[in-house]
Amino acid sequence: MEGKRSKVRMCCLCNQSRASLNRPKTLQQICRDCFYLSFENEIHQLIIDNHLFTPGDRVAIGASGGKDSTVLAYVLSKLNRVHNYGLNLFLLSVDEGITGYRDDSLETVHRNQVQFGLPLKVVSYKDLYGWTMDEIVKLIGLKNNCTFCGVFRRQALDRGAAFLKADKLVTGHNADDIAETVLLNILRGDIARLSRCSSIITGEDGPIPRCKPFKYTYEKEIVMYAYFKRLDYFSTECIYSPNAYRGFAREFIKDLERIRPRAILDIIKSGENFRISTNTKMPEQGTCERCGYISSQKWCKACVLLDGLNRGLPKLGIGRSRPGIGCKEENESRGVKSIESKQCGSLDF
Amino acid sequence: MQLTLEFGGGLELLCDSKKIHNVNVEQQNGEDKLTMKGLLSWVKTNLIKERPEMFMKGDTVRPGVLVLVNDCDWELSGQLSTLLEEKDVVVFISTLHGG
Amino acid sequence: MACNGAGGCQSGCYKDEEPTSDQPTASSETDSRSSSNLCIKCKLNDAISGYGGIDDGRFCADCFKSNLFGKFRFAVTSNAMISPTDKVLVAFSGGPSSRVALQFVHDMQERAHKNFEASRDRSLPVFGVGVVFIDETAVLPIPSHEMEEAVEVINLIVSSLSPPRKELHLVPIETVYSSDSTDGKERLIELMNAVSDPTGREDMLLCLRMLALQKVASEFGYNRIVLGSCISRIAAHVVSATVKGQGYSLPADIQYVDARWEIPVVLPLRDCFAQEINMFCWLDSLKTIKLSTGPSSSINSLVSSFVALLQEENPSRESTIVRTAGKLIPFHFNRIPEIVDGNVPLATRRRQKRYNLKSNESVSSESFCLLCNSPLDKSEIVDWSNHKNCKNSDTFYTSCCSSCQFQILPPDSTSMEKFYMHLPHSVVSRANQANNGNLKALREQIQDCLLSDGEEET
């Protein structure tokens, strides 16, 4: 290539503006405005086709201040206005009580509240469980802390949503997340989760149904959208998570995306098409005796963990006392790679 | 060549937590053209202070890192063979963070 | 009261679960001293280790070998894979898995032969065994001297596995065209060149390989094809099929038996790890061949490396993957069809009944991709009423699964026409069968409304 840079390409949809990006989903070279439209319309269509909402619904948007939830809040509130969904939207944030990390991301959410004009509710571990993550880590160290956080967070969102009388909870889990989860469940032998994880709505029989409007949205597009629209989001690793690892599974998905971008959607399609044998024993759903949350055991996991903390027996409910199992946590605190990208369990839906 | 480089999505942590860098890139090997490939190796040597594997894999960026040259996806301009010009703005965003 | 975390806890326990029940637990012996472990089976000799897999360090060499053969034999008997009247064709690539499969099939046959010789009435016949090797030099960049050497080695191996004597079939991949035309090799090359996606090319080759196997088996009177696919290979297939969007058809390819073909295909090494197989070859000095087929940039090789990496980190990974996929519903053709032949010994028929194998239901309840023969999911099944006046090649295209459409078949109608012309007749004729099947099914549905000739309307 000599002389000037290669010719400017025009958007293949409108042919009027310069193309700004290559959509991984469709391999189209499109301009920014066409991108915004396609991006937003696909999500709108998904919401309509799957009957995610009813007019009048109170919808809590799980907001962490990160890219997915920020873009979700922005797009959802825009679609709500433009297409008259008639929804009452608000932001729901969880404060785990991690100094330096959560403070900053919560600040972002507060800014979003102002920027997008959505009310915000913050639920804290302290209020719900009587412990902050800082306090827990002080007690148990850096091993197994992610276990606590993951379990507590999941319940915190549900409890926060219930407290606010929400009808639905939406989270920003994107196509890459769901593809990773499908793979992880195969790798870990979790057939129960495998059957649920590619559904766009989960927990319909539980306290609050959860939806994932970004189910088919590529992570790359979310970042592009946020970048072009100059949306404000926060992106730092949780300070308690081991340094410098990206799960094997996520790495694999990224390598895959590079060879064949549609593979991410293909994994989700496979997940949707898996038919689980009826012979397989699936756990029964009941409620926790202590707090009433859904559980397949007598006590839900959070109650078990809390009980341990409160009694000064923080190991209670962590793994099993068999050789080899502890190794996983050892590896994590030493920064050795694990198979999943988010140790905090936020991929569990 | 004067360039503005931006790091986002957590990549700034690899370069002293600084998001925007105004740099002057010296051409290597006496070549008068600077490609993205050349820029990447320059960045790796001069700006990335820790964990280079989070930024690059082989001679290209790690999968999951978006690259924009003047607000345009580098996939449209030939990725590594993209030619850079004076005063160009190159943005690197990592997509690998929770949200 | 602690959540045992078997993956079902709703309260969000996410831990990296390995279901406890069927996981082999480390015995107390191996916990103590890692340097000199006694074999846990015979407790006499030192255990061998270092080859990986979940049984690493538990058995001595002899017990290890008999354990491996035991897994093979169990798979064969519990799935009624081989009966005394069968004629079995072993697909031999020269690699360790098919080498071990061949060895074990031979050992079994040899034992049966000895019993036959020793028995007075000689009532129970010995099953026959043949070996087939497919020469793919027409489509893969294998150096010719390598192939020549390989053929020599294969001949030696097969002749050494005697008695009982086994016939060796060395066939070139272009044999799939041999009954259609004389320019098979050229057509094959044209066909492969029309596929641009590297993964598509590899998968296309797999389809052709199976076609060649079916052809040889059918021509020479074999009624079973044995593949050496082991857990490691199956685990990789589970992941790569998932990645290609084949979640619906995935269970069809990973069972012990695959009877959707004219000659059923069986996988007796399905419970064995690649690491164990390699160790076995090393222990018994079994010669294997590795042909240089060039570098691969396909999804299949990315997946293989990924799974191998995971297996290194966790030796039970491959078996977990296969066990998970094993919980997906298999298809009706994933079992040996019941034998109605009166010549089959009663014992065999009783064994089939005992293991609850039902008779072969009609296959028309599933539709199959015309190219790769995978069962089609709902979204891929075509409504034939709209496709009456299309070109044959277009009809063929729409009758294939979405994976083949994406990675193998050309996207536009003109190239598709050319591609269609280069397909072997055996593939093209599937289209006609499918069409006829559909017409028949359609007619059956409207049978009641049809007036027969000569009847008058009142």
Side-chain angles (χ1 to χ4, degrees), chain C residues 238-282:
Chain C
V238 169
V239 178
S240 59
T242 301
V243 159
K244 294 170 194 166
Q246 297 168 316
Y248 179 82
S249 62
L250 165 58
D253 315 312
I254 59 165
Q255 310 300 329
Y256 289 100
V257 174
D258 181 358
R260 83 197 107 143
W261 311 91
E262 198 195 313
I263 314 290
V265 174
V266 297
L267 276 49
L269 290 183
R270 190 187 174 273
D271 300 319
C272 308
F273 293 84
Q275 293 150 321
E276 295 178 313
I277 287 172
N278 288 334
M279 177 48 112
F280 188 96
C281 289
W282 183 79

Side-chain angles (χ1 to χ4, degrees), chain A residues 257-318:
Chain A
E257 190 186 6
R258 201 165 248 192
I259 301 180
R260 187 187 281 190
R262 71 174 246 172
I264 292 179
L265 293 180
D266 285 341
I267 295 176
I268 299 177
K269 178 182 171 199
S270 288
E272 290 164 346
N273 285 339
F274 285 144
R275 297 176 303 159
I276 316 283
S277 170
T278 42
N279 293 335
T280 313
K281 213 174 147 241
M282 295 288 225
E284 274 182 34
Q285 311 252 21
T287 47
C288 171
E289 281 180 4
R290 200 159 162 269
C291 71
Y293 195 76
I294 277 194
S295 168
S296 54
Q297 311 290 320
K298 260 182 164 183
W299 277 18
C300 72
K301 184 72 170 174
C303 286
V304 171
L305 294 175
L306 273 174
D307 191 49
L309 283 176
N310 292 328
R311 287 204 276 153
L313 300 167
K315 282 268 179 222
L316 203 64
I318 303 287

Side-chain angles (χ1 to χ4, degrees), chain C residues 182-454:
Chain C
T182 47
D183 59 345
K185 192 167 171 187
E186 286 75 36
R187 288 176 70 196
L188 176 63
I189 295 175
E190 287 266 2
L191 188 75
M192 291 298 288
N193 285 342
V195 182
S196 49
D197 184 299
T199 314
R201 285 177 65 98
E202 284 181 12
D203 289 353
M204 178 81 202
L205 186 56
L206 287 177
C207 296
L208 294 170
R209 206 182 275 168
M210 179 54 83
L211 281 179
L213 289 175
Q214 288 290 318
K215 184 157 196 271
V216 171
S218 169
E219 252 176 53
F220 292 92
Y222 294 97
N223 67 335
R224 292 280 181 272
I225 295 177
V226 169
L227 294 183
S229 307
C230 61
I231 283 190
S232 317
R233 165 95 94 178
I234 293 179
H237 181 79
V238 169
V239 178
S240 59
T242 301
V243 159
K244 294 170 194 166
Q246 297 168 316
Y248 179 82
S249 62
L250 165 58
D253 315 312
I254 59 165
Q255 310 300 329
Y256 289 100
V257 174
D258 181 358
R260 83 197 107 143
W261 311 91
E262 198 195 313
I263 314 290
V265 174
V266 297
L267 276 49
L269 290 183
R270 190 187 174 273
D271 300 319
C272 308
F273 293 84
Q275 293 150 321
E276 295 178 313
I277 287 172
N278 288 334
M279 177 48 112
F280 188 96
C281 289
W282 183 79
L283 283 174
D284 268 11
S285 307
L286 297 181
K287 191 125 176 41
T288 56
I289 303 161
K290 179 102 181 85
L291 296 167
S292 343
T293 50
S296 171
S297 56
S298 70
I299 287 188
N300 301 327
S301 52
L302 181 68
V303 168
S304 289
S305 341
F306 175 59
V307 173
L309 186 65
L310 291 177
Q311 175 73 1
E312 256 179 62
E313 299 284 313
N314 184 341
S316 49
R317 188 65 69 193
E318 280 167 359
S319 63
T320 305
I321 294 173
V322 173
R323 193 174 45 234
T324 314
K327 293 183 182 159
L328 300 175
I329 303 178
F331 294 87
H332 59 82
F333 50 74
N334 285 121
R335 47 182 171 235
I336 296 282
E338 193 179 83
I339 311 161
V340 283
D341 184 354
N343 288 332
V344 170
L346 198 55
T348 310
R349 281 189 275 164
R350 275 209 209 104
R351 193 190 308 131
Q352 274 205 317
K353 284 204 148 54
R354 194 195 319 150
Y355 286 105
N356 223 3
L357 301 169
K358 298 195 186 61
S359 62
N360 193 15
E361 302 140 31
S362 97
V363 190
S364 61
S365 49
E366 296 287 343
S367 296
F368 296 86
C369 168
L370 292 184
L371 193 57
C372 67
N373 215 14
S374 322
L376 298 175
D377 72 60
K378 269 194 298 245
S379 67
E380 294 167 328
I381 294 180
V382 169
D383 175 11
W384 284 105
S385 55
N386 298 332
H387 291 261
K388 281 190 286 268
N389 299 319
C390 288
K391 286 190 279 188
N392 282 338
S393 53
D394 288 337
T395 308
F396 184 89
Y397 182 91
T398 41
S399 316
C400 287
C401 67
S402 49
S403 174
C404 286
Q405 285 174 351
F406 171 74
Q407 64 174 15
I408 298 180
L409 301 177
D412 63 283
S413 192
T414 328
S415 323
M416 183 61 216
E417 218 175 331
K418 266 175 61 187
F419 184 89
Y420 182 75
M421 304 228 282
H422 292 309
L423 283 170
H425 181 74
S426 47
V427 173
V428 166
S429 62
R430 281 181 191 160
N432 300 330
Q433 281 168 22
N435 270 343
N436 291 339
N438 282 317
L439 277 176
K440 230 176 108 187
L442 202 60
R443 197 189 169 82
E444 272 165 40
Q445 280 183 356
I446 59 172
Q447 194 61 41
D448 293 339
C449 308
L450 288 177
L451 299 173
S452 62
D453 292 340

